[in-house]
Amino acid sequence: MRRIVFATGNKGKMREIKEIMSGFDIEIVSMREAGVEVDVEEDGTTFMENSFIKARAVADKCRQAGYTDDIVLADDSGLVVDALGGEPGIYSARYLGEDTPYSIKNAKLIERMEGVPEDERSARFVCAIACVLPDGRELGAEETYEGAIGYEEKGANGFGYDPIFYLPDRGVYSAELDPDEKNRISHRGKALVKMKEILARELGDSGN
Ligand code: ITT
């Protein structure tokens, strides 16, 4: 049976990816579950470039391991804060150090936003999904999740920067949303649905 190998080592992302793709009738495994884990240097200059760097590296590893029929997907994502010139952007995972707890990264961002007025606190999560098909064809999809940087950490759901990502229209923080609700409106949820549609067209079936 054809399966999708997801080129991510991030547990929060993988949990969401499995939730979002639970309605897709195809087996989804992480690169760890597939035994094709790689740690590549993400030296691209955009989310999409980095996403393809990860997807190609894992696709190569899959082919070497004899998995010639696997579809490989990767997610490169991050938080873009307008008042900080787009930081942390593609460096979101590496911001203040890869292993630094998010409580510290989040506190630092709130501190850097001190004095920034309400209407200049806009921010967005960006998610670029890269796909490498068994025949080498490459497909990409990118989406955003719009919000603002809040004044405190709130909520226990999600991961990473969700506790400081405020949704002005809803009056809640992203980490306060039910997982299903976040997945319905998030950068990752929307980019994966878009990729599903692209894949269905490319593979010439319903994608289900
Ligand atoms: P992989 O490369 O193995 O997938 P990573 O954590 O290094 O894992 P990225 O380079 O794409 O992944 O970095 C994305 C970072 O952006 C992630 O570690 C979070 O800090 C942040 N991020 C992305 N999506 C998020 C979301 O939905 N909620 C909160 N933070 C998010």
Side-chain angles (χ1 to χ4, degrees):
M1 182 195 168
R2 175 168 273 176
R3 57 177 195 172
I4 290 178
V5 175
F6 227 105
T8 180
N10 180 313
K11 293 196 177 79
K13 269 189 195 178
M14 199 60 218
R15 186 183 63 239
E16 290 189 0
I17 288 161
K18 286 196 170 173
E19 286 163 5
I20 295 161
M21 300 184 79
S22 64
F24 302 12
D25 190 18
I26 186 165
E27 187 193 0
I28 319 279
V29 294
S30 66
M31 59 183 183
R32 171 171 295 181
E33 289 162 337
V36 288
E37 221 164 343
V38 290
D39 189 15
V40 280
E41 195 190 343
E42 297 177 28
D43 56 2
T45 57
T46 63
F47 290 106
M48 197 53 97
E49 276 177 28
N50 282 335
S51 195
F52 273 110
I53 287 170
K54 292 187 260 192
R56 287 180 194 130
V58 170
D60 286 348
K61 200 86 193 268
C62 280
R63 307 309 171 234
Q64 283 161 19
Y67 304 139
T68 53
D69 214 24
D70 286 342
I71 295 172
V72 177
L73 294 188
D75 164 320
D76 197 72
S77 44
L79 178 67
V80 173
V81 182
D82 292 326
L84 301 179
E87 281 189 54
I90 60 168
Y91 302 104
S92 292
R94 290 165 271 180
Y95 183 59
L96 303 180
E98 188 102 36
D99 297 327
T100 303
Y102 273 86
S103 52
I104 293 175
K105 299 189 193 215
N106 284 334
K108 185 69 184 176
L109 282 178
I110 289 175
E111 183 192 313
R112 290 181 66 193
M113 293 293 282
E114 243 172 58
V116 177
E118 196 84 41
D119 61 349
E120 291 173 26
R121 301 180 71 90
S122 57
R124 69 200 52 77
F125 280 113
V126 179
C127 176
I129 300 289
C131 173
V132 178
L133 291 175
D135 65 5
R137 269 180 297 163
E138 296 187 342
L139 312 166
E142 186 168 305
E143 285 285 350
T144 64
Y145 176 30
E146 302 287 333
I149 301 303
Y151 297 90
E152 58 185 323
E153 276 198 281
K154 256 185 137 177
N157 296 334
F159 68 100
Y161 298 104
D162 280 321
I164 60 164
F165 192 68
Y166 182 68
L167 303 168
D169 294 352
R170 293 165 183 257
V172 296
Y173 285 72
S174 184
E176 296 183 285
L177 294 179
D178 283 343
D180 284 352
E181 185 60 6
K182 180 188 168 191
N183 292 336
R184 210 175 55 73
I185 62 173
S186 77
H187 52 319
R188 180 164 301 104
K190 291 186 292 185
L192 282 171
V193 166
K194 203 182 213 180
M195 178 53 74
K196 183 196 176 197
E197 289 163 4
I198 296 171
L199 270 174
R201 272 201 305 277
E202 283 295 318
L203 299 175
D205 60 32
S206 68
N208 287 318

